[in-house]
Amino acid sequence: MKLSELKVNHVTAPLGFKITPLSFSWKVKDAGEAKRQKWARLCIFCEDNTVFDSGEDTSADSLDYQVDIGLLPRTRYTFSVEVMADNGESAKASSSFETGKMNENWTAKWITPDMDANTAAVLRKTFTVDHTDTARLYICGLGVYEVYINGQKAGKEFLAPGYHSYDFHLQTQVYDVSEYIKDGENTVMVWLADGWFRGRLGFDGGFTNLYGDKCYLIAELYVDNKLLIQTDDSWKSKESPVVFSNIYDGEIYDANVEDRLNSIDGWSGVILEAPEKCGELSDRYSLPIVKKETFNVVSMLNTPKNEDVLDFGQEITGWVEFDCELPKDIQIRLTASEIMQDNCFYNENYRTAKSEFIYRSNGKKAHVRPHFTFYGFRYMKVEYLDSKGSVINRYKEALKKTVFKAYHLRSDFDEIGSVQTGNKKVNKLFLNALWSQKGNFLDVPTDCPQRDERLGWTGDAQVFSETACYNMFMPAFYRKYLWDMRAEQSVLKGSVPNVVPRLKEGMVAEHGSCPWADAGVIIPWNVYLHYGSKTLLKECYPGMKAWVECERTKEEKIEGLHLIKDGFHFADWLSLDNPESGPFGATDPLYIASAYYYKCAKSVSKAAGILGYDEDERKFSKLASDIKEAVQDKYFDKDGLCVCHTQTGAAIAIEYGLIPEQDKDGIEAAALAERVKTNNNHLNTGFVGTSLLCPALTRTGNNEIAVTLLLNEDFPSWLYCVNLGATTIWERWNSVLEDGHINPEGMNSLNHYSYGSIVAWMYKDLCGLRPALPGFKKVVIEPHADKRLGYAKCVLNTSAGIYKSEWKYNEDGSVVYHIEVPFNAEAEFILDGKSQVLLTGTYDFSSATF
């Protein structure tokens, strides 16, 4: 019996994170004969002092153990967890956390380079140290920054401080820089660039200077817990080797400028100036953006146009690095793309985003990488340029000898789930959805990582959030996104923007659209169901409530039933069921909006009950009941059939529990099955319907049809994309046509995770694993076997521990099931209407004997 995954606010050994309110979690593995937790004990220490001791707590919740103690700023704490099991076995483990500045005043001053504001800069400070045991750097740079101490990059994260609602808060980072500081003279350099803060964002060319028109820095260095240096007017500034950088367009790096950084001459001063349009400094919420995986070139292509293109075999988000030794002023240019077209390089679907990286050599050998941008790509075109930027071909041999490596960047969270079946194409579909999540979860859940967009669209995030929580450990990532969402709501009377962070120009008025805005309730509710943290639910509750109150206020201004009666709604975006051309589906958007209104009101009522807000629980329960009655009155006929005769209309009615009592014969379920059959056994749903369709079919006894949809290989289907070589999920069902050309309708991202929401169904229905209690302390395992797949199995490392659910067909047609339940958890296993409670352990069943 061992303890593992000790976390504070869902982060392992957090350094400088926002950790109030304070919550701990842990897991037990290798439990052997132990079944239940008898008691747990949590102790917190500061140096040699015990600051908290829970004692032997028989009610200790390993998912969310809340502790209310006063914490000191810039202080390291250790903690231990001990668990006693029902059979007398015990285990103990320790970890740590360290606070940031918290509410402590800053001695440092904001500074900005005393240079042309359009020139990227490096800021520099020299200092002397007699001796050091520990050193911490507290810092925030705007737009993005990297820190170098004595020539070494501090920390493993990139693109700090990330992308957040800067006008509401500025997240600071804390680096343990003890290993970089030496006795004697030291130099710290901070490289600054535009990033999201003032770089181009938005459509049709976008907007610049959204949060400020300069780059800024504030920092304090503590050595052995004493302030040694801080940003002030003694710092110096100089032009950066990153002579151009932009999130959309890429980066230009001039190594000749890098040489000049090593000279003590030519440095300018700095100006004491704080950013004007920004919020207060705060400890970080964002997980660090780090390198997570590495890819080698799988093929070096030479196209009919004589283009040299690197194929990394997988579409990722990140960049390419290489070692370079070229003559002075010779340049190498990499240009990103997702797809080859007619065997040639193609990236016109990136719209105005150049997505390039240019390196100008200083004649010396160097390791080359971008610094302040990222790319969504599978392919990189490589070109060599002369000093004036003209393409030259005499370095073809150098290209062949250069080792290029692609690095995938994302926020620092890990996979927790996997699904595998007997069908290789279905397995590829699962991986494609997983990679779309990896590629789009870089500090915010973006719609796409490659073109001139890369925004935190709330609708895409909402429909995929259940799948996201199955695939990856997401609570800390979503905590930050939902903080920004609540901040944006605070100036919109509770309404939720279409994108978070909200663009303050161009899209400033775009908010409150179903089902985009419903992310304000659905994401935190899914996070609670999957990870079981009441602490996080309580933190999110004000935003959840505010959105439903916003809807109620608006709809009550128009007399009549509790329904959404007006407004723009994306609804079933990019659905295929509308006979008229365009991106909007055929299902009545006000029906969809009202159905979501009901779902959100019901979820807020449940959340209020869990948190002990009795009055809110009653109020929102009544509201949900009134909405449901109103929806049934307006959108269902006398027989109980939804008047929106679409696949999406029926799926919503079934999955959201809107079917009236008079539908005793399952006419909605039959209608849904018939609509799929009459559509040649194919789906025609968009962003809303796709996430609900297969679950609705399985729920109503039509799992065979659901699996048929999964296995279809022609358009429209998931495997259509797989057959055309997709390595991620596409924005449209046919973003690429059968002839391999990009769909001429436009808006064709090839890394857009919304339709990957089918993966949640693969976990919870195909393999049958779904939470019965939040955090998977208790689950329902109700697999739905289908002989066409041969077998299916999922492994899920939940907050309660690792579950396994597997089924497999034997040659005689019988089905065998394998189930594993972790320590201190239980499962209700359901098969053919029969159920059995399974405690901690491993179980095997057969359909012939269960």
Side-chain angles (χ1 to χ4, degrees):
M1 179 174 168
K2 298 178 182 177
L3 294 187
S4 66
E5 299 184 51
L6 276 64
K7 297 180 185 291
V8 181
N9 289 37
H10 304 108
V11 179
T12 302
L15 174 61
F17 278 76
K18 177 73 171 179
I19 53 174
T20 53
L22 185 62
S23 172
F24 296 83
S25 57
W26 61 87
K27 297 180 187 178
V28 173
K29 65 178 184 179
D30 301 332
E33 298 300 315
K35 304 292 185 185
R36 287 284 182 268
Q37 176 179 291
K38 185 177 180 181
W39 53 258
R41 182 179 184 180
L42 173 71
C43 295
I44 305 174
F45 311 93
C46 181
E47 296 182 343
D48 296 328
N49 300 315
T50 302
V51 296
F52 178 83
D53 186 344
S54 69
E56 297 174 359
D57 189 344
T58 57
S59 62
D61 182 0
S62 63
L63 307 181
D64 179 26
Y65 195 88
Q66 301 176 33
V67 176
D68 185 12
I69 59 172
L71 297 173
L72 299 173
R74 298 184 292 101
T75 301
R76 185 176 186 271
Y77 295 85
T78 59
F79 68 95
S80 65
V81 178
E82 183 179 7
V83 172
M84 175 66 71
D86 53 0
N87 67 343
E89 287 191 59
S90 65
K92 188 175 182 178
S94 300
S95 187
S96 67
F97 63 95
E98 189 171 320
T99 56
K101 294 262 309 169
M102 300 183 71
N103 295 322
E104 182 182 67
N105 290 329
W106 286 72
T107 301
K109 304 297 183 183
W110 281 103
I111 59 175
T112 187
D114 188 7
M115 298 166 49
D116 183 344
N118 293 319
T119 302
V122 175
L123 303 185
R124 179 177 182 267
K125 175 72 175 179
T126 300
F127 60 96
T128 302
V129 175
D130 293 330
H131 171 78
T132 178
D133 290 321
T134 62
R136 299 290 187 268
L137 180 66
Y138 302 82
I139 183 170
C140 179
L142 299 171
V144 286
Y145 71 91
E146 288 183 3
V147 178
Y148 295 83
I149 298 178
N150 298 323
Q152 292 183 279
K153 182 182 179 299
K156 295 182 179 180
E157 73 175 290
F158 300 93
L159 299 168
Y163 182 25
H164 48 277
S165 297
Y166 306 107
D167 47 338
F168 290 100
H169 66 151
L170 296 175
Q171 296 188 75
T172 61
Q173 291 69 50
V174 183
Y175 296 97
D176 180 350
V177 294
S178 308
E179 64 180 291
Y180 309 115
I181 292 180
K182 61 186 180 180
D183 293 348
E185 187 174 87
N186 295 261
T187 300
V188 57
M189 291 188 183
V190 181
W191 296 30
L192 295 172
D194 293 355
W196 299 270
F197 179 77
R198 71 167 194 165
R200 177 163 85 93
L201 282 180
F203 303 101
D204 300 323
F207 301 90
T208 58
N209 302 330
L210 287 173
Y211 298 96
D213 60 0
K214 299 178 182 178
C215 289
Y216 299 91
L217 174 68
I218 191 168
E220 294 178 353
L221 176 65
Y222 285 79
V223 173
D224 296 335
N225 213 31
K226 294 180 180 179
L227 180 62
L228 182 66
I229 63 169
Q230 66 280 326
T231 46
D232 55 26
D233 59 8
S234 67
W235 285 59
K236 303 297 182 181
S237 62
K238 186 179 278 192
E239 180 186 0
S240 171
V242 180
V243 297
F244 172 84
S245 183
N246 184 289
I247 295 296
Y248 294 160
D249 296 319
E251 189 166 295
I252 300 174
Y253 189 97
D254 188 344
N256 295 296
V257 179
E258 179 183 287
D259 290 343
R260 296 198 287 271
L261 288 181
N262 296 322
S263 170
I264 61 173
D265 298 322
W267 288 85
S268 301
V270 297
I271 300 171
L272 297 180
E273 181 181 318
E276 294 182 354
K277 297 190 291 185
C278 295
E280 297 295 322
L281 290 163
S282 69
D283 292 339
R284 71 186 302 164
Y285 287 88
S286 290
L287 293 168
I289 298 166
V290 297
K291 296 177 181 178
K292 295 296 290 188
E293 297 181 51
T294 306
F295 291 83
N296 295 317
V297 176
V298 298
S299 181
M300 186 174 289
L301 309 172
N302 185 261
T303 75
K305 295 181 180 179
N306 198 30
E307 303 158 313
D308 293 307
V309 180
L310 310 175
D311 178 5
F312 291 95
Q314 171 65 53
E315 178 154 356
I316 66 170
T317 298
W319 58 47
V320 172
E321 300 186 16
F322 56 95
D323 290 325
C324 182
E325 189 171 8
L326 290 170
K328 181 177 170 58
D329 291 328
I330 296 299
Q331 304 176 77
I332 183 170
R333 177 168 63 194
L334 304 182
T335 309
S337 78
E338 300 180 286
I339 190 172
M340 302 289 285
Q341 190 161 287
D342 296 325
N343 295 316
C344 292
F345 182 84
Y346 177 92
N347 71 351
E348 292 180 20
N349 62 317
Y350 284 32
R351 302 191 296 220
T352 67
K354 289 183 179 180
S355 212
E356 297 177 343
F357 175 65
I358 298 175
Y359 174 78
R360 180 187 288 264
S361 174
N362 60 0
K364 301 175 184 178
K365 186 175 182 179
H367 183 76
V368 177
R369 68 166 173 90
H371 292 73
F372 301 117
T373 189
F374 62 92
Y375 308 86
F377 68 98
R378 172 175 169 173
Y379 302 95
M380 282 284 182
K381 180 172 65 174
V382 185
E383 299 169 293
Y384 290 90
L385 315 174
D386 63 22
S387 60
K388 296 180 180 179
S390 298
V391 176
I392 52 179
N393 295 313
R394 65 177 179 271
Y395 292 99
K396 292 277 189 179
E397 290 303 314
L399 171 62
K400 294 178 182 178
K401 296 177 181 179
T402 303
V403 177
F404 296 91
K405 288 186 179 293
Y407 289 87
H408 161 55
L409 273 69
R410 70 166 185 270
S411 295
D412 193 11
F413 53 80
D414 294 317
E415 299 173 43
I416 59 171
S418 65
V419 174
Q420 188 177 35
T421 74
N423 185 298
K424 292 183 179 179
K425 293 180 179 180
V426 171
N427 296 342
K428 181 59 177 171
L429 168 65
F430 173 85
L431 291 176
N432 288 0
L434 183 66
W435 269 107
S436 272
Q437 181 175 355
K438 290 179 178 181
N440 279 293
F441 279 49
L442 189 151
D443 209 35
V444 299
T446 56
D447 59 324
C448 61
Q450 77 294 86
R451 68 189 182 204
D452 54 355
E453 198 164 346
R454 313 188 199 187
L455 301 174
W457 285 96
T458 48
D460 305 58
Q462 180 266 120
V463 298
F464 191 77
S465 60
E466 184 180 20
T467 292
C469 289
Y470 269 113
N471 280 339
M472 305 276 200
F473 188 68
M474 300 307 304
F477 177 88
Y478 278 132
R479 184 192 186 204
K480 176 265 179 183
Y481 184 61
L482 294 167
W483 193 102
D484 282 343
M485 189 180 294
R486 292 193 303 277
E488 303 288 1
Q489 286 180 268
S490 69
V491 294
L492 296 174
K493 299 181 179 179
S495 188
V496 177
N498 295 346
V499 298
V500 171
R502 183 168 63 110
L503 290 188
K504 302 306 190 291
E505 294 186 47
M507 301 177 68
V508 66
E510 296 186 14
H511 57 88
S513 174
C514 169
W516 271 232
D518 300 290
V521 173
I522 291 172
I523 294 177
W525 184 247
N526 277 336
V527 170
Y528 175 65
L529 290 180
H530 277 258
Y531 309 112
S533 173
K534 291 183 183 179
T535 301
L536 184 51
L537 181 66
K538 185 177 181 179
E539 191 172 277
C540 294
Y541 180 79
M544 299 169 70
K545 177 180 175 179
W547 166 236
V548 175
E549 288 283 25
C550 174
E551 289 197 286
R552 183 187 61 78
T553 299
K554 288 193 294 185
E555 62 93 351
E556 285 183 349
K557 288 182 178 179
I558 304 174
E559 292 186 4
L561 298 170
H562 277 296
L563 297 168
I564 303 302
K565 309 176 185 73
D566 65 354
F568 168 80
H569 301 285
F570 288 100
D572 200 22
W573 185 248
L574 294 183
S575 177
L576 298 173
D577 58 3
N578 196 333
E580 299 181 9
S581 62
F584 298 97
T587 309
D588 185 341
L590 295 181
Y591 162 68
I592 296 176
S594 297
Y596 269 92
Y597 182 26
Y598 165 68
K599 178 178 176 64
C600 289
K602 187 176 180 181
S603 296
V604 169
S605 174
K606 290 180 179 178
I610 291 162
L611 297 172
Y613 304 151
D614 296 340
E615 184 177 344
D616 275 5
E617 180 184 18
R618 291 189 294 270
K619 181 174 78 171
F620 287 105
S621 177
K622 175 65 165 57
L623 176 60
S625 179
D626 290 343
I627 298 169
K628 181 176 181 179
E629 182 180 343
V631 170
Q632 291 175 337
D633 184 63
K634 181 174 178 60
Y635 292 106
F636 289 80
D637 64 21
K638 60 182 178 62
D639 297 318
L641 182 68
C642 180
V643 299
C644 297
H645 297 161
T646 61
Q647 293 179 11
T648 293
I652 287 174
I654 293 165
E655 283 300 287
Y656 289 178
L658 293 169
I659 296 174
E661 292 183 2
Q662 59 263 39
D663 182 8
K664 300 183 184 300
D665 299 321
I667 59 173
E668 195 71 61
L672 176 58
E674 185 61 27
R675 286 170 200 160
V676 174
K677 291 177 182 176
T678 57
N679 195 45
N680 194 30
N681 283 318
H682 282 68
L683 53 77
N684 57 18
T685 49
F687 278 25
V688 170
T690 298
S691 64
L692 304 173
L693 181 57
C694 285
L697 288 165
T698 299
R699 181 189 293 269
T700 54
N702 291 300
N703 189 69
E704 184 177 345
I705 299 175
V707 175
T708 296
L709 294 179
L710 177 69
L711 294 176
N712 283 336
E713 297 191 24
D714 55 338
F715 170 77
S717 69
W718 289 280
L719 299 190
Y720 167 86
C721 312
V722 171
N723 286 339
L724 285 174
T727 64
T728 43
I729 300 296
W730 297 346
E731 185 172 13
R732 295 179 181 269
W733 291 111
N734 61 344
S735 283
V736 179
L737 305 180
E738 290 186 27
D739 63 4
H741 286 78
I742 286 283
N743 189 326
E745 292 184 45
M747 200 166 59
N748 289 296
S749 161
L750 303 188
N751 194 351
H752 222 93
Y753 50 64
S754 296
Y755 291 143
S757 58
I758 183 62
V759 165
W761 171 82
M762 295 168 71
Y763 280 106
K764 68 181 181 181
D765 288 316
L766 191 63
C767 296
L769 180 59
R770 60 183 187 269
L773 290 177
F776 288 79
K777 281 286 190 178
K778 183 177 181 180
V779 304
V780 171
I781 301 179
E782 187 178 8
H784 292 85
D786 190 292
K787 195 170 186 178
R788 291 170 289 178
L789 288 168
Y791 73 88
K793 60 181 178 181
C794 77
V795 179
L796 188 63
N797 186 12
T798 72
S799 292
I802 297 176
Y803 286 90
K804 295 182 181 180
S805 175
E806 178 178 359
W807 55 260
K808 182 179 181 180
Y809 272 84
N810 291 324
E811 291 183 1
D812 62 3
S814 63
V815 186
V816 292
Y817 299 87
H818 176 79
I819 308 296
E820 294 185 22
V821 181
F823 174 79
N824 207 37
E826 68 177 63
E828 181 185 8
F829 181 67
I830 301 175
L831 187 63
D832 297 329
K834 301 176 184 178
S835 68
Q836 180 177 332
V837 174
L838 310 178
L839 301 180
T840 303
T842 301
Y843 303 86
D844 292 287
F845 302 101
S846 169
S847 59
T849 59
F850 184 79

